[in-house]
Amino acid sequence: MVRLVLIFLATLWINAGALAAPAAKVLKVGIGLNADTPQGQGIQQFARLVEERSQGRIKIEFHPGGRLGDDVSMVEALRAGKQDMTCPDSSTLARLVSDFSAINYPFTFLSAEEADRILDGQWGERLLARLPQHGLIGLAFWENGFRHLTNSKRALPTLNDVTGIRMRTMQNEMLIDSFRQIGFEPVPMPFPKVYTALAGKVVDGQENPLPTIVSSRFYEVQPYLTLSQHVYSAFVLLIGKSTWDTLNPEDRRIIAESGREAAQFQRRANREATAAALGTLKAKGVQVATIDVRESERVRNRLRPVLEQYNKRIGESTVLQMYVELSQLRMERGRYAAKPAP
Ligand code: TK8
């Protein structure tokens, strides 16, 4: 009898314990880059904020380095409810909402500050608001960075003659068409396959922000770097709508706020990594060329017919609004302030 009572009491105690500390909700997050990159550090910062603010109710299970897949497949996993969160390059979302390509219009954003203002402002908000109907919630824009070209064939101080260079591109049609228009042979490919493809000479070149060229060790198989700053590239922190719908309002608030705060942390880390990367690459023996303003202007003109086509596909109002906000910003900054006639 005493034993039975004890067992009964023990059961009560276990139940009370379970009530006091319900099992944490675990969110599975995958990214393409390694844990020690600014993107990886950003996720770890996000995880700290979420776990702290939810008092352990929400835990982040982090899978870096493309272990859960690439940008396109992870976004699909979110939509299918098989993965909770990811942080792809925004260009890969154009297959769902073509407007995302506008961010990557070559030679459009001129500084990280311009990108921050456009992406964090109304224009960016409107873009993210298009995602829920595709099963995704966009929490914040993070930074991938300005992209630069590397290749294993020859130094490219201009992009005048790039024939015969097979260039890996992201899986975005506007980018594929742009690289073809410049004269490259574009080969779209998911990021986790790129190093092996470069090493095996399946492709000759790739383009990414400097911190990625360092962290993914592309310099080992890419002796030539061209500082081209041809495209600005953003990440989007995403949570699947099916996961979002299971969260209570308080947890949603914590996740959304932490995503935005981690964006500031991640951008800072990325800019520090960018400043340090060029020295690292030079020390590794990479040969560096820089394309000048006139050359970028020439390439920009060459790309005009491609972009005109995408203006129509994307919707002229999205593109126009982006240019309007950019020129407003530039006027504020005095970049276009009237100069006295010579
Ligand atoms: C990492 C990718 C990558 C991107 C690319 O998952 O594919 O080249 O720049 O960094 O998002």
Side-chain angles (χ1 to χ4, degrees):
M1 180 63 193
V2 172
R3 226 160 108 204
L4 269 181
V5 169
L6 277 179
I7 289 170
F8 176 71
L9 284 176
T11 319
L12 268 187
W13 182 78
I14 288 165
N15 284 342
L19 279 180
K25 176 146 189 103
V26 177
L27 298 181
K28 201 161 141 190
V29 185
I31 58 167
L33 297 182
N34 300 325
D36 64 354
T37 59
Q39 188 189 39
Q41 291 159 356
I43 297 291
Q44 291 168 79
Q45 173 70 3
F46 170 75
R48 273 192 292 275
L49 294 174
V50 167
E51 290 179 16
E52 202 178 283
R53 290 169 184 178
S54 69
Q55 289 158 330
R57 269 197 323 280
I58 311 169
K59 289 223 172 339
I60 303 297
E61 188 187 293
F62 182 31
H63 301 266
R67 289 209 291 268
L68 295 185
D70 57 71
D71 285 359
V72 173
S73 69
M74 287 193 285
V75 164
E76 285 313 308
L78 259 62
R79 280 158 39 91
K82 292 181 181 143
Q83 182 181 325
D84 301 299
M85 295 185 71
T86 187
C87 193
D89 190 277
S90 62
S91 64
T92 55
L93 295 173
R95 58 179 57 222
L96 303 173
V97 179
S98 59
D99 307 49
F100 276 94
S101 287
I103 297 170
N104 310 110
Y105 268 22
F107 305 105
T108 298
F109 293 154
L110 298 179
S111 67
E113 186 216 355
E114 284 190 353
D116 289 355
R117 285 280 299 266
I118 303 296
L119 297 176
D120 293 348
Q122 249 183 39
W123 191 84
E125 243 166 59
R126 253 184 252 152
L127 225 53
L128 296 183
R130 306 271 306 272
L131 289 173
Q133 69 199 88
H134 298 282
L136 301 167
I137 306 289
L139 297 172
F141 285 102
W142 288 14
E143 179 169 88
N144 194 350
F146 280 105
R147 304 179 77 88
H148 303 279
L149 298 155
T150 67
N151 85 97
S152 57
K153 282 211 148 164
R154 53 185 190 264
L156 293 177
T158 75
L159 304 184
N160 207 11
D161 181 14
V162 296
T163 43
I165 297 183
R166 284 162 303 175
M167 178 61 61
R168 178 269 172 173
T169 72
M170 293 193 283
Q171 293 157 288
N172 172 289
E173 287 193 35
M174 184 279 297
L175 292 172
I176 297 167
D177 289 348
S178 294
F179 280 100
R180 186 178 298 112
Q181 174 79 357
I182 294 171
F184 288 106
E185 203 181 298
V187 184
M189 187 186 291
F191 184 80
K193 294 202 159 68
V194 176
Y195 184 93
T196 310
L198 292 169
K201 299 266 160 77
V202 173
V203 290
D204 307 306
Q206 67 83 43
E207 39 85 54
N208 253 294
L210 297 178
T212 299
I213 298 171
V214 173
S215 65
S216 293
R217 307 177 81 84
F218 290 155
Y219 56 81
E220 292 175 346
V221 288
Q222 298 277 274
Y224 305 108
L225 166 66
T226 302
L227 297 174
S228 48
Q229 196 163 313
H230 53 281
V231 161
Y232 181 81
S233 211
F235 288 128
V236 188
L237 184 66
L238 294 174
I239 183 164
K241 190 167 181 305
S242 53
T243 301
W244 184 252
D245 289 343
T246 65
L247 300 170
N248 63 42
E250 169 65 1
D251 288 351
R252 286 185 194 174
R253 191 185 55 78
I254 289 171
I255 285 173
E257 280 178 11
S258 302
R260 280 194 296 271
E261 279 180 44
Q264 302 313 317
F265 173 92
Q266 188 272 344
R267 282 171 174 169
R268 219 177 309 123
N270 199 50
R271 284 156 204 180
E272 280 164 18
T274 303
L278 190 55
T280 308
L281 292 171
K282 282 183 179 161
K284 298 286 182 192
V286 172
Q287 206 178 306
V288 183
T290 308
I291 71 164
D292 62 20
V293 182
R294 274 179 50 212
E295 173 65 354
S296 28
E297 202 50 36
R298 186 192 66 79
V299 177
R300 206 154 98 124
N301 284 332
R302 176 115 204 237
L303 288 174
R304 206 162 271 176
V306 174
L307 298 186
E308 268 160 20
Q309 202 187 312
Y310 279 91
N311 290 346
K312 292 199 195 84
R313 275 210 225 170
I314 288 173
E316 308 224 319
S317 73
T318 298
V319 178
L320 201 66
Q321 195 55 38
M322 176 176 79
Y323 285 121
V324 166
E325 289 188 24
L326 267 176
S327 54
Q328 273 167 355
L329 184 59
R330 286 171 191 171
M331 278 193 292
E332 267 174 45
R333 289 285 178 276
R335 205 165 291 177
Y336 286 163
K339 288 198 186 82

